[in-house]
Amino acid sequence: MDVSRRRLQAEIMDEPDLEPKRHYDALRGLARINAVSRSASILWKALRPILDAVPREPTRLLDVACGGGDLAVSLWKKSQRRGRALDIV
């Protein structure tokens, strides 16, 4: 597979008439990609210094284009394990 060039394709999840099953399958696929790539850990590494610098509890985080919400849930769990209140919107 040649990955040297991008192939731009329409995002199926943005289709207004997308069947619920296809939407669910797409969100599950994103969750698998996020799990395999350890996206939550990557984001947490960038987010933690910001949280440490802000004394306000809880810290509010806006998740734009959140997909199925799996990253938000993972980040919230990480914050709870570290004793840090994170309010994800």
Side-chain angles (χ1 to χ4, degrees):
M1 170 183 248
D2 180 13
V3 294
S4 63
R5 292 181 25 204
R6 280 182 73 182
R7 284 188 336 174
L8 300 178
Q9 295 180 351
E11 176 58 66
I12 65 166
M13 289 192 308
D14 293 338
E15 296 295 325
D17 60 345
L18 182 65
E19 299 170 15
K21 168 88 169 81
R22 288 195 68 201
H23 189 235
Y24 175 81
D25 290 344
L27 292 175
R28 294 287 300 151
L30 282 174
R32 283 192 302 274
I33 290 168
N34 289 335
V36 169
S37 66
R38 299 183 41 87
S39 294
S41 293
I42 293 166
L43 290 172
W44 180 256
K45 188 182 284 189
L47 184 59
R48 189 169 179 190
I50 296 168
L51 293 175
D52 290 344
V54 179
R56 185 174 154 250
E57 294 277 345
T59 300
R60 182 168 285 175
L61 175 67
L62 176 63
D63 186 355
V64 178
C66 62
D70 57 286
L71 284 177
V73 170
S74 294
L75 290 171
W76 182 83
K77 287 179 179 179
K78 286 180 179 297
S79 71
Q80 293 298 299
R81 285 193 298 268
R82 287 158 179 87
R84 183 63 199 232
L86 188 58
D87 180 17
I88 302 176
V89 178

